[in-house]
Amino acid sequence: MSATIKKSAQLRREILRHLYSGFSLSLNELSKLTQKSLPIVTAVVNELITDEFVISDGLAPSSGGRRPSMFLLNPKKERYIVSVAVDQMVSRMVIYNLTHQIQLPLQVIEIDTYNDEKALQKLIAFVQLNLEKSAIHQDHIVGIGIGMPGFVNIEEGINYTIFPVSEGDNLRDYLSEKLNLPVFIDNDSSLIAMAELKFGKAKGKQDVMVINMGWGTGLGMIIDGKIFRGHSGFAGEFSHIPLSGSNQLCSCGKRGCLEVETSLLVMAKKAKAQVESGVESSMKRLFLDASKQDGDHFLEAARSGDPLAVSILSDASFHLGKGVATLIHIMNPEKIVLSGRGAIAGKMFMPSIQQAINEFCIPRIAECTHIEVSEIANDAELLGAANMVMERTEFL
């Protein structure tokens, strides 16, 4: 491939990626985003229209001058992205088209990723089954994006925490071979932060901390408008800041980690223990329903105002607020976003988090940071995994 053709292919993919996250853009906007001249961008967009990847979106709203033509990805183009969100207890999967429309409805399976020796094989079988169910031709699938907990090296395709594979293989390549499609993996909290940056509360912002409120407590860091990964790629281990007075061991093997007070898994365990000791709660009935995880029952009870659930959640929120105060002092972010599956109860977290910030944070610094609850919380990891495929694929 000549250098000219290679550059044209790179620009083609870059324009598609900008349209994927920007939805509808003008030629001038694409020229600025790609830092390429308007004639070059126009030529590539025309090629993409010919190839039916891009369609016209009419004219932009009037701002006093000539209204520019707008362009967006073609929702009828047969290109699809498989998105998988792996949590500690539950894995989810959807298939999107290029305009974020769901082609395969949400599929869910319970897999204990940390304790089940067959967890990886179960995940592969789950994805294979749903690919068959979708009836989408393999040639039309751009790739598979998988978010997962643990220390993930995205460049080498390794998860150092879960899903061990045979010696000499990395997880990404192993999954690609088994699923016969390009696979990309990343840490769940980093993908949630990416989703917020591209589609959510962090869009257009430069310095944002995104807290992943899930079975564990994670953090995705956005610095200078980009995901910050640190020297070794493991930045953002927020849950292992030693802010807890508990003597309970964390999953990492250490004591005092923030996670032993703030994770959804811990909150559900506390609630179940108190219910079993005789404390009255609506969760006594909810926990009998084995079709859902205890954490989901806990969140349902908290949202309905169950006193025990609210009390446990408020206590966890205060500890989380101490961690947030630490972030504010160190990073001085413009915004902190509460995201992830646990953020569906996000507004209930706010009073106790704010109380901790008032108690532990220097006011002059704290008043510069806004704390908000995500609007895409439950779908953030799936959206981030799909975006990862668009960012890293060479298929388009």
Side-chain angles (χ1 to χ4, degrees):
M1 182 182 293
S2 71
T4 301
I5 294 175
K6 187 175 181 179
K7 287 181 179 179
S8 177
Q10 289 174 343
L11 179 58
R12 176 188 175 98
R13 287 192 293 270
E14 189 176 356
I15 287 173
L16 290 173
R17 288 162 184 160
H18 284 303
L19 288 171
Y20 182 77
S21 59
F23 297 101
S24 181
L25 297 170
S26 69
L27 294 173
N28 277 325
E29 288 172 323
L30 287 168
S31 176
K32 290 177 182 178
L33 287 167
T34 59
Q35 298 185 329
K36 295 293 188 292
S37 70
L38 186 58
I40 291 175
V41 168
T42 301
V44 174
V45 168
N46 285 334
E47 289 177 8
L48 290 168
I49 291 172
T50 300
D51 293 341
E52 299 182 342
F53 273 99
V54 173
I55 59 174
S56 172
D57 192 30
L59 300 176
S62 177
S63 59
R66 184 178 178 182
R67 296 165 63 192
S69 297
M70 305 298 290
F71 300 90
L72 77 168
L73 294 180
N74 183 1
K76 296 182 180 179
K77 183 67 175 179
E78 289 190 293
R79 293 293 184 273
Y80 306 97
I81 302 169
V82 178
S83 183
V84 182
V86 177
D87 294 335
Q88 287 176 268
M89 307 301 294
V90 175
S91 294
R92 299 173 293 152
M93 172 178 163
V94 297
I95 298 180
Y96 295 106
N97 69 5
L98 294 181
T99 57
H100 312 269
Q101 296 171 336
I102 293 177
Q103 305 302 297
L104 176 74
L106 180 67
Q107 307 294 310
V108 180
I109 186 173
E110 292 188 9
I111 303 177
D112 187 340
T113 53
Y114 281 88
N115 300 306
D116 188 342
E117 293 181 355
K118 297 182 179 179
L120 182 56
Q121 285 66 42
K122 288 180 179 179
L123 178 66
I124 291 169
F126 171 67
V127 175
Q128 289 173 330
L129 175 66
N130 289 307
L131 284 172
E132 293 175 8
K133 185 188 296 186
S134 74
I136 295 173
H137 195 283
Q138 183 174 308
D139 291 345
H140 295 156
I141 295 177
V142 177
I144 302 173
I146 306 179
M148 56 184 67
F151 295 120
V152 180
N153 184 317
I154 64 169
E155 299 303 328
E156 296 183 11
I158 297 172
N159 189 325
Y160 293 98
T161 309
I162 60 172
F163 294 152
V165 294
S166 302
E167 186 177 351
D169 292 332
N170 66 35
L171 178 59
R172 179 193 60 213
D173 292 349
Y174 180 82
L175 288 167
S176 295
E177 179 183 349
K178 293 296 182 182
L179 296 169
N180 201 29
L181 284 165
V183 173
F184 307 92
I185 66 172
D186 199 355
N187 171 266
D188 52 357
S189 296
S190 294
L191 289 180
I192 287 171
M194 178 60 75
E196 295 292 345
L197 177 62
K198 294 291 186 177
F199 315 113
K201 291 287 189 179
K203 189 175 179 68
K205 305 300 180 183
Q206 293 297 301
D207 301 303
V208 182
M209 303 292 104
V210 180
I211 298 176
N212 172 17
M213 304 168 71
W215 296 110
T217 305
L219 176 69
M221 308 174 71
I222 300 166
I223 298 178
D224 291 336
K226 299 176 182 178
I227 300 297
F228 178 76
R229 298 182 182 275
H231 173 66
S232 303
F234 307 138
E237 285 302 316
F238 174 64
S239 61
H240 301 296
I241 298 174
L243 288 176
S244 169
S246 169
N247 200 38
Q248 182 180 342
L249 276 176
C250 178
S251 59
C252 72
K254 305 295 183 181
R255 299 185 191 276
C257 292
L258 185 64
E259 183 162 308
V260 302
E261 304 281 2
T262 61
S263 74
L264 182 57
L265 198 60
V266 168
M267 284 188 267
K269 283 182 178 179
K270 286 182 178 180
K272 199 164 191 178
Q274 292 201 40
V275 167
E276 289 173 351
S277 71
V279 176
E280 288 299 322
S281 167
S282 62
M283 289 180 285
K284 184 176 182 179
R285 171 182 53 81
L286 292 173
F287 285 145
L288 295 175
D289 178 7
S291 67
K292 293 183 179 180
Q293 291 286 327
D294 290 345
D296 293 317
H297 289 313
F298 175 81
L299 288 173
E300 181 182 340
R303 293 175 72 189
S304 65
D306 179 272
L308 176 59
V310 170
S311 174
I312 292 172
L313 187 143
S314 296
D315 183 59
S317 302
F318 185 78
H319 283 90
L320 186 65
K322 290 170 69 175
V324 169
T326 302
L327 287 178
I328 290 173
H329 283 144
I330 294 173
M331 302 303 299
N332 186 27
E334 176 182 358
K335 184 182 288 189
I336 290 176
V337 179
L338 306 181
S339 191
R341 61 185 292 134
I344 60 172
K347 291 182 180 179
M348 300 186 69
F349 282 90
M350 295 298 287
S352 296
I353 290 175
Q354 191 61 57
Q355 179 186 350
I357 291 172
N358 293 341
E359 186 171 336
F360 297 108
C361 201
I362 297 171
R364 184 178 292 275
I365 301 176
E367 66 188 14
C368 298
T369 300
H370 300 284
I371 303 175
E372 297 184 15
V373 179
S374 170
E375 294 178 346
I376 59 171
N378 200 48
D379 298 324
E381 188 178 351
L382 291 166
L383 289 168
N387 185 78
M388 170 175 58
V389 174
M390 288 295 293
E391 291 286 344
R392 302 181 70 83
T393 186
E394 300 293 321
F395 181 60
L396 294 167

mmCIF file of all heavy atoms in Angstrom, residues 92 188 191-196 199 339-340 374 376-386:
data_model
loop_
_atom_site.group_PDB
_atom_site.id
_atom_site.type_symbol
_atom_site.label_atom_id
_atom_site.label_comp_id
_atom_site.label_asym_id
_atom_site.label_seq_id
_atom_site.Cartn_x
_atom_site.Cartn_y
_atom_site.Cartn_z
ATOM 1 N N ARG A 92 -22.982 -8.609 30.292
ATOM 2 C CA ARG A 92 -24.059 -8.153 29.409
ATOM 3 C C ARG A 92 -23.520 -7.981 27.993
ATOM 4 O O ARG A 92 -22.339 -7.726 27.796
ATOM 5 C CB ARG A 92 -24.622 -6.817 29.899
ATOM 6 C CG ARG A 92 -25.233 -6.869 31.300
ATOM 7 C CD ARG A 92 -25.615 -5.478 31.794
ATOM 8 N NE ARG A 92 -24.434 -4.649 32.015
ATOM 9 C CZ ARG A 92 -24.421 -3.316 31.912
ATOM 10 N NH1 ARG A 92 -25.521 -2.667 31.556
ATOM 11 N NH2 ARG A 92 -23.310 -2.647 32.139
ATOM 12 N N ASP A 188 -12.997 -1.795 32.722
ATOM 13 C CA ASP A 188 -14.378 -1.309 32.715
ATOM 14 C C ASP A 188 -14.485 0.168 33.087
ATOM 15 O O ASP A 188 -15.230 0.928 32.457
ATOM 16 C CB ASP A 188 -15.266 -2.168 33.625
ATOM 17 C CG ASP A 188 -14.711 -2.343 35.034
ATOM 18 O OD1 ASP A 188 -13.603 -1.859 35.329
ATOM 19 O OD2 ASP A 188 -15.392 -2.986 35.858
ATOM 20 N N LEU A 191 -13.451 2.438 30.251
ATOM 21 C CA LEU A 191 -14.463 2.503 29.197
ATOM 22 C C LEU A 191 -15.652 3.354 29.613
ATOM 23 O O LEU A 191 -16.237 4.072 28.788
ATOM 24 C CB LEU A 191 -14.926 1.093 28.832
ATOM 25 C CG LEU A 191 -13.912 0.234 28.082
ATOM 26 C CD1 LEU A 191 -14.493 -1.134 27.787
ATOM 27 C CD2 LEU A 191 -13.468 0.910 26.788
ATOM 28 N N ILE A 192 -16.021 3.288 30.874
ATOM 29 C CA ILE A 192 -17.119 4.122 31.372
ATOM 30 C C ILE A 192 -16.735 5.595 31.267
ATOM 31 O O ILE A 192 -17.537 6.442 30.858
ATOM 32 C CB ILE A 192 -17.492 3.719 32.808
ATOM 33 C CG1 ILE A 192 -18.237 2.377 32.785
ATOM 34 C CG2 ILE A 192 -18.358 4.783 33.488
ATOM 35 C CD1 ILE A 192 -18.469 1.760 34.140
ATOM 36 N N ALA A 193 -15.484 5.899 31.615
ATOM 37 C CA ALA A 193 -15.012 7.282 31.475
ATOM 38 C C ALA A 193 -15.017 7.714 30.013
ATOM 39 O O ALA A 193 -15.391 8.850 29.686
ATOM 40 C CB ALA A 193 -13.609 7.414 32.070
ATOM 41 N N MET A 194 -14.615 6.810 29.120
ATOM 42 C CA MET A 194 -14.626 7.134 27.698
ATOM 43 C C MET A 194 -16.045 7.409 27.203
ATOM 44 O O MET A 194 -16.278 8.338 26.416
ATOM 45 C CB MET A 194 -14.007 5.978 26.900
ATOM 46 C CG MET A 194 -14.010 6.182 25.390
ATOM 47 S SD MET A 194 -13.092 7.650 24.873
ATOM 48 C CE MET A 194 -11.413 7.034 25.095
ATOM 49 N N ALA A 195 -17.002 6.618 27.667
ATOM 50 C CA ALA A 195 -18.393 6.838 27.269
ATOM 51 C C ALA A 195 -18.885 8.199 27.743
ATOM 52 O O ALA A 195 -19.581 8.910 27.012
ATOM 53 C CB ALA A 195 -19.284 5.736 27.829
ATOM 54 N N GLU A 196 -18.517 8.564 28.965
ATOM 55 C CA GLU A 196 -18.922 9.874 29.474
ATOM 56 C C GLU A 196 -18.259 10.998 28.683
ATOM 57 O O GLU A 196 -18.864 12.041 28.432
ATOM 58 C CB GLU A 196 -18.567 10.003 30.960
ATOM 59 C CG GLU A 196 -19.326 9.040 31.875
ATOM 60 C CD GLU A 196 -20.815 9.332 31.964
ATOM 61 O OE1 GLU A 196 -21.239 10.428 31.567
ATOM 62 O OE2 GLU A 196 -21.561 8.434 32.433
ATOM 63 N N PHE A 199 -20.060 10.737 25.019
ATOM 64 C CA PHE A 199 -21.516 10.815 24.900
ATOM 65 C C PHE A 199 -22.227 11.353 26.138
ATOM 66 O O PHE A 199 -23.443 11.545 26.098
ATOM 67 C CB PHE A 199 -22.098 9.423 24.603
ATOM 68 C CG PHE A 199 -21.351 8.655 23.556
ATOM 69 C CD1 PHE A 199 -20.650 7.501 23.873
ATOM 70 C CD2 PHE A 199 -21.345 9.094 22.235
ATOM 71 C CE1 PHE A 199 -19.954 6.791 22.908
ATOM 72 C CE2 PHE A 199 -20.646 8.393 21.258
ATOM 73 C CZ PHE A 199 -19.950 7.238 21.591
ATOM 74 N N SER A 339 -21.005 7.391 37.763
ATOM 75 C CA SER A 339 -21.507 6.583 36.652
ATOM 76 C C SER A 339 -21.442 5.107 37.036
ATOM 77 O O SER A 339 -21.175 4.762 38.180
ATOM 78 C CB SER A 339 -20.692 6.873 35.381
ATOM 79 O OG SER A 339 -21.302 6.307 34.241
ATOM 80 N N GLY A 340 -21.716 4.231 36.065
ATOM 81 C CA GLY A 340 -21.770 2.805 36.347
ATOM 82 C C GLY A 340 -23.146 2.378 36.826
ATOM 83 O O GLY A 340 -24.013 3.209 37.118
ATOM 84 N N SER A 374 -24.443 10.624 36.206
ATOM 85 C CA SER A 374 -24.502 10.301 34.782
ATOM 86 C C SER A 374 -25.934 10.075 34.315
ATOM 87 O O SER A 374 -26.780 9.577 35.051
ATOM 88 C CB SER A 374 -23.672 9.046 34.511
ATOM 89 O OG SER A 374 -23.886 8.577 33.192
ATOM 90 N N ILE A 376 -26.198 8.296 31.423
ATOM 91 C CA ILE A 376 -26.046 7.068 30.635
ATOM 92 C C ILE A 376 -25.472 5.949 31.500
ATOM 93 O O ILE A 376 -24.933 4.958 30.989
ATOM 94 C CB ILE A 376 -25.131 7.296 29.409
ATOM 95 C CG1 ILE A 376 -23.735 7.766 29.852
ATOM 96 C CG2 ILE A 376 -25.758 8.287 28.450
ATOM 97 C CD1 ILE A 376 -22.717 7.794 28.727
ATOM 98 N N ALA A 377 -25.619 6.089 32.820
ATOM 99 C CA ALA A 377 -24.905 5.254 33.786
ATOM 100 C C ALA A 377 -24.970 3.762 33.491
ATOM 101 O O ALA A 377 -23.938 3.085 33.401
ATOM 102 C CB ALA A 377 -25.447 5.536 35.192
ATOM 103 N N ASN A 378 -26.158 3.230 33.309
ATOM 104 C CA ASN A 378 -26.305 1.782 33.172
ATOM 105 C C ASN A 378 -25.762 1.267 31.850
ATOM 106 O O ASN A 378 -25.353 0.103 31.740
ATOM 107 C CB ASN A 378 -27.777 1.384 33.320
ATOM 108 C CG ASN A 378 -27.948 -0.084 33.660
ATOM 109 O OD1 ASN A 378 -27.280 -0.608 34.556
ATOM 110 N ND2 ASN A 378 -28.824 -0.767 32.943
ATOM 111 N N ASP A 379 -25.723 2.136 30.826
ATOM 112 C CA ASP A 379 -25.253 1.726 29.503
ATOM 113 C C ASP A 379 -23.823 2.177 29.221
ATOM 114 O O ASP A 379 -23.279 1.883 28.147
ATOM 115 C CB ASP A 379 -26.163 2.308 28.412
ATOM 116 C CG ASP A 379 -27.593 1.813 28.525
ATOM 117 O OD1 ASP A 379 -27.775 0.638 28.892
ATOM 118 O OD2 ASP A 379 -28.518 2.594 28.255
ATOM 119 N N ALA A 380 -23.208 2.879 30.163
ATOM 120 C CA ALA A 380 -21.929 3.518 29.890
ATOM 121 C C ALA A 380 -20.841 2.531 29.471
ATOM 122 O O ALA A 380 -20.098 2.778 28.510
ATOM 123 C CB ALA A 380 -21.473 4.323 31.111
ATOM 124 N N GLU A 381 -20.731 1.414 30.173
ATOM 125 C CA GLU A 381 -19.678 0.451 29.825
ATOM 126 C C GLU A 381 -19.898 -0.140 28.438
ATOM 127 O O GLU A 381 -18.942 -0.326 27.671
ATOM 128 C CB GLU A 381 -19.595 -0.658 30.876
ATOM 129 C CG GLU A 381 -18.403 -1.579 30.675
ATOM 130 C CD GLU A 381 -18.279 -2.649 31.748
ATOM 131 O OE1 GLU A 381 -19.018 -2.583 32.763
ATOM 132 O OE2 GLU A 381 -17.458 -3.572 31.574
ATOM 133 N N LEU A 382 -21.145 -0.427 28.092
ATOM 134 C CA LEU A 382 -21.448 -0.959 26.762
ATOM 135 C C LEU A 382 -21.138 0.064 25.675
ATOM 136 O O LEU A 382 -20.553 -0.269 24.634
ATOM 137 C CB LEU A 382 -22.919 -1.381 26.690
ATOM 138 C CG LEU A 382 -23.300 -2.607 27.520
ATOM 139 C CD1 LEU A 382 -24.822 -2.716 27.655
ATOM 140 C CD2 LEU A 382 -22.722 -3.883 26.913
ATOM 141 N N LEU A 383 -21.509 1.320 25.910
ATOM 142 C CA LEU A 383 -21.217 2.373 24.937
ATOM 143 C C LEU A 383 -19.710 2.587 24.798
ATOM 144 O O LEU A 383 -19.195 2.808 23.703
ATOM 145 C CB LEU A 383 -21.899 3.679 25.366
ATOM 146 C CG LEU A 383 -23.422 3.714 25.252
ATOM 147 C CD1 LEU A 383 -23.979 4.939 25.967
ATOM 148 C CD2 LEU A 383 -23.856 3.706 23.789
ATOM 149 N N GLY A 384 -19.003 2.522 25.932
ATOM 150 C CA GLY A 384 -17.553 2.686 25.897
ATOM 151 C C GLY A 384 -16.867 1.555 25.165
ATOM 152 O O GLY A 384 -15.899 1.766 24.412
ATOM 153 N N ALA A 385 -17.358 0.321 25.343
ATOM 154 C CA ALA A 385 -16.772 -0.827 24.654
ATOM 155 C C ALA A 385 -16.979 -0.719 23.143
ATOM 156 O O ALA A 385 -16.085 -1.048 22.351
ATOM 157 C CB ALA A 385 -17.385 -2.119 25.184
ATOM 158 N N ALA A 386 -18.158 -0.252 22.736
ATOM 159 C CA ALA A 386 -18.423 -0.065 21.308
ATOM 160 C C ALA A 386 -17.531 1.031 20.731
ATOM 161 O O ALA A 386 -16.978 0.893 19.631
ATOM 162 C CB ALA A 386 -19.898 0.276 21.095
#
